[in-house]
């Protein structure tokens, strides 16, 4: 079974969110755990081009998607176990900022061409552009690759692989004005409700959701939620219609990168039996953020993109209640300027009780996971969420809202669940300051009971969070779609 993943992000080369982490971990797990021969096709950003070796050109184009000369390379990428196909198109991908924008909040004006070209490359490979490796399944990820299933379905020529479209986050439809249709080589007839049209725009994600043979998303609960509004992001009707072709497969975490027993980014390592290293990390976290030493309550950590979806305005309002209970707050994140400003201001109001770092910092994310007692993820919606799974692994109890993958991974600590040995964190329901504050209060109460706290920590730390299970579930799906492969 050969599977080609099409993606715009790959950790550590290009990352804005969980998508990059998934693509770094799933393909190698598929090879090892599920006997799937996986490869990846992705844009030739500078970070990618710098890491290539053994490159071989398999296609060329003098002016690809208005971006000038381009070549599709088959190559090895440093640190990546599977072989990659890279679209070397300097006019499209060699830019100063991030994968999608200039780094100052402005998206590149030609993103439709940049990711249309990615989908073109994926579709060409699907049709056998590499004579030595033709996929049985083309697996497209998020809107950036969404045109690939459409290209394959609309071009009726000959046999093609099965197509899978995965939704990592439905909030990003990848919408562009209808006028760009022709520049993407799409026929006018597909600009239709039964096609790529989405509220008057051309949506790359709609293309994937409409044309792919199967749709997956990254948790079973999110798969249920997105078949109706408001969680469906406008696609609820289409997904309800296609519910028999929609599967939720929970992400794993990359335990090569996220494991407190071997994490070289930490000042000390630890495991479920001996947590003394975690105390060292906690101390260092406190020092780094200049938190007061005497606070008796839990340190609550947040590592997040600062966007409304993450519910962090609720936490901003609930934070003073946490401080009254002797707790402290540490936040690492960047994004929405208003949310950033809100947290900066909190530091001024509660010096010594709050630490805030605005920015993106992998190293610090690890220290925060290890040094915190609680990791808060109060999201309004959350497809899967990785941070709460890292928290479980690092013995920091996740405190989450019951939505999407958060609901699938965190079991609220009640008398009954603690008795049964299932409790691994704290869950609240209503998206309100009250409900969040109440969960914080429960965390602060349990924190005082060291023996019980420790048992809940150990349940999370000892659970299996790797990619093996997901790799198997994807393989089962591929085999249903292509039983002969
Ligand atoms: P999303 O994909 O919506 O951003 P996830 O929880 O699925 O949410 O994945 C977030 C990933 O990004 C995690 O790996 C998390 O550690 C990382 N991350 C988010 N913000 C930051 C930051 N400011 N610095 C470092 N890592 C971050």
């Amino acid at each position: 079974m050969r599977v080609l993943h099409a993606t715009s992000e790959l950790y550590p080369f290009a990352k804005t969110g969980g998508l990059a982490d998934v693509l770094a971990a799933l393909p190698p797990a598929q090879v090892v755990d599920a006997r799937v021969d996986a490869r990846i096709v992705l844009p030739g950003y500078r970070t990618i081009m710098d890491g290539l070796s053994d490159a071989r050109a398999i296609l060329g184009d003098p002016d690809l998607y208005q971006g000038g000369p381009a070549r599709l390379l088959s190559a090895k990428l440093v640190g990546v176990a599977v072989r990659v196909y890279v679209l070397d198109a300097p006019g499209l991908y060699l830019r100063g900022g991030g994968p999608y924008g200039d780094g100052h909040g402005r998206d590149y004006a030609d993103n439709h061409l940049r990711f249309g070209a990615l989908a073109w490359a994926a579709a060409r490979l699907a049709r056998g552009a590499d004579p030595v490796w033709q996929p049985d399944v083309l697996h497209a990820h998020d809107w950036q690759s969404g045109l690939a299933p459409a290209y394959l379905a609309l071009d009726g020529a000959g046999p093609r692989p099965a197509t899978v479209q995965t939704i990592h986050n439905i909030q990003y439809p990848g919408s562009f004005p209808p006028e760009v249709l022709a520049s993407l080589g799409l026929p006018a007839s597909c600009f239709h409700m039964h096609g790529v049209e989405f509220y008057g725009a051309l949506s790359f994600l709609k293309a994937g959701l409409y044309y792919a043979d199967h749709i997956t998303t990254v948790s079973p609960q999110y798969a249920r939620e997105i078949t109706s509004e408001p969680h469906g992001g406008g696609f609820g009707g289409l997904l309800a219609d296609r519910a028999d072709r929609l599967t939720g497969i929970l992400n794993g975490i990359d335990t090569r990168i996220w494991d407190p027993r071997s994490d070289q980014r930490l000042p000390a390592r630890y495991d479920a039996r001996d947590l003394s290293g975690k105390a060292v990390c906690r101390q260092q976290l406190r020092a780094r953020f200049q938190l007061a030493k005497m606070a008796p309550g839990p340190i609550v950590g947040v590592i997040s993109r600062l966007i409304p979806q993450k519910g962090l305005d609720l936490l901003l309002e609930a934070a003073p209640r946490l401080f009254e209970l002797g707790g402290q707050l540490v936040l690492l994140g960047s994004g929405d300027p208003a949310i950033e400003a809100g947290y900066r201001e909190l530091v001024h109001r509660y010096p010594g009780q709050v630490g805030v770092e605005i920015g993106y910092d992998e190293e610090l994310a690890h220290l925060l996971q290890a040094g915190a007692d609680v990791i808060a993820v109060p999201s309004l919606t959350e497809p899967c969420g990785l941070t709460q799974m890292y928290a479980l692994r690092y013995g920091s109890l996740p405190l989450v809202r019951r939505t999407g993958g958060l609901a699938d991974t965190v079991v609220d600590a009640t008398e009954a669940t603690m008795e049964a040995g299932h409790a691994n964190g704290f869950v609240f329901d209503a998206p309100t300051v009250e409900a969040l504050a109440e969960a914080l209060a429960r965390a602060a109460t349990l924190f005082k009971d060291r023996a019980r706290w420790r048992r809940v920590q150990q349940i999370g730390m000892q659970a299996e969070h790797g990619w093996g299970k997901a790799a198997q579930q994807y393989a089962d799906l591929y085999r249903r779609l292509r039983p002969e492969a």
Side-chain angles (χ1 to χ4, degrees), residues 297-298 325 426 438-450 453:
L325 297 163
F426 307 95
E438 194 263 340
L440 288 167
R442 288 195 291 123
T445 304
L446 189 67
F447 189 69
K448 290 187 204 141
D449 186 341
R450 298 311 298 158
W453 184 271

Side-chain angles (χ1 to χ4, degrees), residues 15-19 21 169 251 258 303-305 307 309-310 332-334 357 359-362 365 369 382-388 390:
K15 167 165 167 170
T16 69
L19 171 64
D21 296 352
N169 193 337
N251 283 338
W258 295 96
I303 304 146
S304 184
R305 293 185 294 132
I307 53 169
Q309 179 207 319
K310 299 291 181 180
L332 165 64
S334 65
E357 173 105 5
Y360 187 90
D361 186 335
E362 295 274 344
Q369 286 284 2
E382 192 61 73
C384 176
L386 294 170
T387 39
Q388 85 282 7
Y390 300 151

Side-chain angles (χ1 to χ4, degrees), residues 168-192:
H168 296 265
N169 193 337
I170 207 159
Q171 305 293 327
Y172 300 93
S175 288
F176 299 95
E179 296 74 49
V180 305
L181 197 75
S183 67
L184 296 167
L186 290 167
S189 60
C190 74
F191 191 74
H192 192 274

